[in-house]
Amino acid sequence: MPGSPAPGGGRPRVFIVDDHGLFRSGVRSELGDQVDVVGEADDVAPAIALIAQCLPDVVLLDVHLPGGGGQDVVTATKAAHPQVRFLALSASDAPEDVIAVIRAGARGYVTKTISGAELVDAVRRVAAGDAVFSPRLAGFVLDAFAAPGPAGEAHRSFDPELDQLTPREREVLRLIARGYTYKEIARELYISGKTVESHVSSVLRKLQLSTRHQLTRWAAERRLT
Amino acid sequence: MACGPDQGLPGWRGTWSGRDDGCVEEVEETARSASPGRASGQDGQPGPGPDHRGAAPAADPQHRHLWDRLLRREWVGKPCSSGPMRRRREDRLVAGVAACLAARIGIDVIVIRTAFVVAGLLGGFGLAAYVVCWLLLPAEGADSNIAAKALNDRRGLALAAGLGSLLIIVFLIASALGASWVNSVAWSLVVSAVGLTLIWRNSPADEHEVLRRLAEPVADLAGGSGRRRLWLRIVGAALLLVIGLATLLHGRSAHELLQPLAGLLLVIIAIVIMLGPWWLRIARDLVLERQARTRAEERADMAAHLHDSVLQTLALIQRRAGQPQQVIQLARAQERELRSWLFDGQSPGQDDSPGLTLAGGVRLIQQEVEAQHGITVEAVTVGDCELDDDLNALLAAAREATVNAAKWSGAPAVALFAEVEPAEVVLFVRDRGRGFDPQAVPGDRKGLAESIHARIARHGGSATVRSVPGEGTEVSLMMPRDARRREPSRPART
């Protein structure tokens, strides 16, 4: 994703949570002067305290932390400071971890192999309130929402509004999984970039709010490692 | 990169030999040329069936199933070979004449050999015929036969003529002395002696070895070599021989019927005592020689495999010595491959991986391409299913497309997306590299696209390549599922 100037002009304030010091300094240098890194933490408890203290725009959050999952940081912060947004950043392939952080409230998920420019772009998007899906997350979501659940389950808790993707959302997710940028998706589907973003945000909302049992079970079943 | 379990290595996985050439044809070529080596590597092991290339029973290390094999053999009506007749080294017991004839007229080699031996015992005709064939049939890899060379060998001709005439004189004297039976074998023996002399002087080194082995007892008799046991054997045999011959020549005395038989028996015993150990040694040597050949073939097979896998990886590791992460990836991937080859008997390109699914296949492609080309492959799969021939072809095409993107696009990452739908499987390989103009592609890339197209089309799927210069390339592959169930008339592939 080619880095475009931030809409507001101001640099987003970023907080990094990761237990590897080397990785934190790597991200810091990759983000360079495109963003304003206001703090770092290496575990759940200090992260919660420091985020409450400096109130960044975006928290880059490692999914795995020694003192617990990244979702604990999201849950603890969200109640008091809803304006702080989270972008999950992980080397983990385990969908259950990723889905857990997203469902806790993170606005997106990217893998640690992402390039510096793309990371800056993702941070800007999350700061602006959009959702950021990596190809992998798009694949997870397509998979989780693919098959209709077993009959019994469907009777109990099937809400078409939340538990199903629209065909258009599906198309958008497929293109993300194929490695397309939002801009390329817009061109491919003859829609505006804003529409693409609204589709992705809608998918994110469904992912966070769906009570679909299958989502959890699917994530557990698809443990890859 | 997710580390999958040690999976089998299915056919689409290509071969490790293909790591440095994105060109499909080359990869397949390597696979093809590797397989005859494997096939012939099993030749030395005894096995039932017509393919058992005329190994003599004595040459087989296992005697247990001899009768089974003899009963199950296809004695006549085998496929006849065409082309020039050649005596093959691998098939020979003496000079490979019988095997050569057997291959040409489609009769089992054992039948031919038996015929030669019987004809040899009945008046020596078989021996003469064998030697003449030996002279006239060229050895494998030789331009001309031995007779053609012998015609230019003046000294050899003179020697043969001398030996021949000497033998004729000996036989004339023998028959004049009353041993009229000599006449029946005389001409065969003369022809054989002359022929063998010419062969000795004009054959290549490996046939010399055969002759030397055949002539060994004569050399032992002449050389003596001070071995007591040998002398005792020769003296005993000579004694019996003399008694036998004497009984035969004076057969008309007392017991007219018994005496010739007793004489013949003594002669045979003499020959067995004299030549028995030598026969045993020949049989043992043949077994050893066959084993050595098998070992050599196995060695060549292993060398080819190591060259294709380990040596290539070592070369890559040297080139990327400055990038520890990639070196580790390469080493790990190579270790996994080598282990599965050594301990599970799975060679790359082998098509038996019952447990492997589509998602596992995509993951293997990801691991391989990341290891071999040092780029990131972002692999995403939605849904999963068992692999069949069609999906193996799809994965093979996907692998080629991914390798190609890694090699030519210049992009640091390739996206690989596969989705399993109820009716079809779709797969996309996308890079954000330099792309190309599909209208003006150089020949090699067009060939690759066509090979992807052709491969997919053969299995009933479709492939499209979309590329814009400066923006990247996307290869889209589609393969219908359960094609066989929908078209029952279609013959099942194996």
Side-chain angles (χ1 to χ4, degrees):
Chain A
M1 293 177 202
S4 52
R11 296 187 304 174
R13 302 172 68 248
V14 173
F15 190 94
I16 305 170
V17 184
D18 196 293
D19 53 323
H20 294 106
L22 213 62
F23 180 76
R24 288 200 304 270
S25 60
V27 170
R28 213 186 245 276
S29 70
E30 277 200 328
L31 292 175
D33 51 4
Q34 304 270 324
V35 304
D36 195 5
V37 179
V38 294
E40 307 178 349
D42 63 356
D43 206 351
V44 176
I48 293 169
L50 284 170
I51 290 167
Q53 211 177 339
C54 51
L55 293 176
D57 297 323
V58 176
V59 177
L60 286 178
L61 182 64
D62 189 10
V63 171
H64 284 291
L65 291 170
Q71 68 263 34
D72 295 343
V73 181
V74 184
T75 319
T77 311
K78 216 168 58 172
H81 311 284
Q83 77 276 23
V84 177
R85 293 180 172 124
F86 290 88
L87 175 60
L89 190 66
S90 165
S92 160
D93 285 333
E96 50 189 357
D97 298 335
V98 176
I99 296 286
V101 177
I102 296 285
R103 278 172 79 83
R107 298 291 299 169
Y109 162 70
V110 292
T111 43
K112 280 185 175 177
T113 51
I114 193 171
S115 73
E118 284 176 315
L119 184 58
V120 171
D121 198 59
V123 167
R124 287 216 179 96
R125 270 175 206 287
V126 170
D130 290 327
V132 170
F133 275 27
S134 70
R136 194 183 299 278
L137 179 58
F140 287 165
V141 176
L142 277 173
D143 217 348
F145 281 89
E153 186 187 77
H155 281 299
R156 248 188 300 129
S157 64
F158 194 73
D159 178 359
E161 188 58 34
L162 281 178
D163 295 346
Q164 231 172 5
L165 300 179
T166 66
R168 205 53 156 175
E169 285 163 358
R170 229 165 242 291
E171 271 179 280
V172 170
L173 284 178
R174 276 202 190 101
L175 288 170
I176 292 175
R178 279 159 66 177
Y180 281 59
T181 62
Y182 287 9
K183 210 185 286 176
E184 287 166 337
I185 293 171
R187 205 171 55 193
E188 181 78 14
L189 298 179
Y190 304 105
I191 53 180
S192 73
K194 270 278 157 248
T195 317
V196 175
E197 276 167 10
S198 80
H199 281 310
V200 177
S201 294
S202 151
V203 172
L204 183 74
R205 195 173 65 91
K206 289 178 181 181
L207 190 60
Q208 287 171 343
L209 299 182
S210 170
T211 52
R212 209 175 146 111
H213 281 212
Q214 194 162 353
L215 204 63
T216 336
R217 209 188 54 211
W218 165 86
E221 277 171 2
R222 279 221 47 190
R223 176 188 267 279
L224 296 181
T225 44
Chain B
M1 181 171 88
C3 284
D6 274 355
Q7 303 271 23
L9 311 162
W12 52 264
R13 203 179 152 190
T15 56
W16 280 81
S17 60
R19 67 181 56 211
D20 256 353
D21 41 37
C23 186
V24 200
E25 289 87 345
E26 275 181 39
V27 175
E28 289 182 342
E29 189 61 43
T30 320
R32 264 201 304 280
S33 63
S35 57
R38 269 199 292 275
S40 60
Q42 293 157 358
D43 260 9
Q45 295 159 11
D51 255 0
H52 185 213
R53 290 226 227 101
D60 278 320
Q62 290 185 356
H63 291 270
R64 258 172 293 163
H65 308 299
L66 182 65
W67 280 111
D68 264 15
R69 285 207 312 277
L70 288 178
L71 287 176
R72 259 184 275 163
R73 260 181 114 94
E74 219 177 298
W75 292 101
V76 291
K78 295 185 178 196
C80 306
S81 66
S82 54
M85 291 172 81
R86 287 286 184 275
R87 294 182 287 113
R88 294 163 54 90
R89 286 199 60 173
E90 300 84 46
D91 301 335
R92 77 178 181 205
L93 200 57
V94 178
V97 167
C100 171
L101 291 174
R104 169 51 69 100
I105 60 182
I107 293 179
D108 194 279
V109 66
I110 289 183
V111 176
I112 307 260
R113 282 183 184 142
T114 313
F116 267 121
V117 171
V118 169
L121 291 176
L122 296 175
F125 167 75
L127 182 61
Y130 193 93
V131 171
V132 169
C133 289
W134 191 347
L135 272 170
L136 294 179
L137 291 174
E140 190 178 34
D143 297 334
S144 60
N145 55 22
I146 299 174
K149 268 189 247 165
L151 286 178
N152 295 324
D153 175 27
R154 282 192 174 184
R155 284 190 61 185
L157 284 174
L159 190 65
L163 188 66
S165 56
L166 193 68
L167 273 174
I168 290 171
I169 292 167
V170 168
F171 288 134
L172 284 178
I173 293 170
S175 67
L177 286 177
S180 55
W181 56 272
V182 175
N183 284 331
S184 59
V185 296
W187 289 108
S188 316
L189 287 179
V190 171
V191 168
S192 306
V194 168
L196 285 173
T197 313
L198 291 176
I199 290 167
W200 172 256
R201 290 195 47 93
N202 295 289
S203 60
D206 63 309
E207 303 211 47
H208 269 190
E209 193 54 44
V210 174
L211 281 175
R212 203 171 289 131
R213 217 170 48 213
L214 291 170
E216 208 172 278
V218 183
D220 274 359
L221 280 176
S225 76
R227 275 177 293 176
R228 217 177 246 182
R229 208 177 40 173
L230 184 71
W231 276 115
L232 281 176
R233 209 172 72 217
I234 289 171
V235 169
L239 208 64
L240 289 170
L241 198 67
V242 168
I243 298 171
L245 283 174
T247 322
L248 267 179
L249 291 177
H250 302 283
R252 296 180 187 278
S253 61
H255 310 283
E256 289 204 356
L257 276 174
L258 277 179
Q259 275 187 343
L261 280 180
L264 192 65
L265 199 66
L266 284 173
V267 169
I268 291 172
I269 290 172
I271 291 173
V272 168
I273 289 176
M274 208 157 59
L275 300 183
W278 171 63
W279 286 339
L280 281 176
R281 198 160 56 241
I282 285 189
R284 210 174 48 229
D285 286 355
L286 276 172
V287 171
L288 290 179
E289 195 186 323
R290 199 165 281 267
Q291 281 170 351
R293 271 205 299 269
T294 310
R295 267 200 302 275
E297 275 162 5
E298 276 167 2
R299 213 183 123 82
D301 207 21
M302 181 170 278
H305 177 89
L306 291 181
H307 177 264
D308 287 350
S309 55
V310 178
L311 287 182
Q312 292 267 16
T313 305
L314 287 176
L316 282 172
I317 284 177
Q318 285 171 31
R319 274 217 313 257
R320 295 182 189 161
Q323 297 148 297
Q325 195 54 41
Q326 287 185 10
V327 169
I328 290 170
Q329 271 183 0
L330 280 168
R332 198 182 292 137
Q334 182 57 63
E335 183 194 340
R336 196 161 42 226
E337 194 254 4
L338 195 59
R339 274 181 193 285
S340 76
W341 186 68
L342 285 176
F343 305 119
D344 304 334
Q346 286 165 334
S347 45
Q350 206 170 328
D351 198 1
D352 58 351
S353 44
L356 196 62
T357 61
L358 185 91
V362 169
R363 225 162 31 236
L364 273 182
I365 293 176
Q366 176 194 26
Q367 287 169 19
E368 276 195 21
V369 176
E370 280 187 343
Q372 291 166 30
H373 298 277
I375 61 153
T376 305
V377 177
E378 182 88 40
V380 177
T381 46
V382 173
D384 204 355
C385 65
E386 294 293 319
L387 289 177
D388 58 14
D389 278 357
D390 295 338
L391 296 181
N392 272 325
L394 181 78
L395 284 175
R399 185 182 188 279
E400 285 157 28
T402 313
V403 168
N404 231 25
K407 287 182 69 177
W408 304 111
S409 71
V414 178
L416 181 60
F417 172 63
E419 184 171 9
V420 180
E421 288 172 273
E424 62 186 25
V425 176
V426 288
L427 211 152
F428 301 90
V429 180
R430 179 180 163 96
D431 68 71
R432 215 173 283 285
R434 58 176 72 99
F436 60 94
D437 181 1
Q439 301 302 317
V441 276
D444 54 334
R445 291 204 59 163
K446 190 166 187 176
L448 182 80
E450 273 170 4
S451 88
I452 289 178
H453 278 297
R455 192 193 284 262
I456 292 290
R458 270 201 302 279
H459 288 264
S462 66
T464 49
V465 177
R466 194 166 67 168
S467 188
V468 180
E471 287 184 25
T473 307
E474 185 174 53
V475 179
S476 318
L477 308 169
M478 189 279 291
M479 184 65 72
R481 289 180 73 191
D482 299 328
R484 257 165 289 179
R485 229 173 292 161
R486 282 180 207 162
E487 298 172 36
S489 63
R490 190 163 154 195
R493 282 182 299 271
T494 52

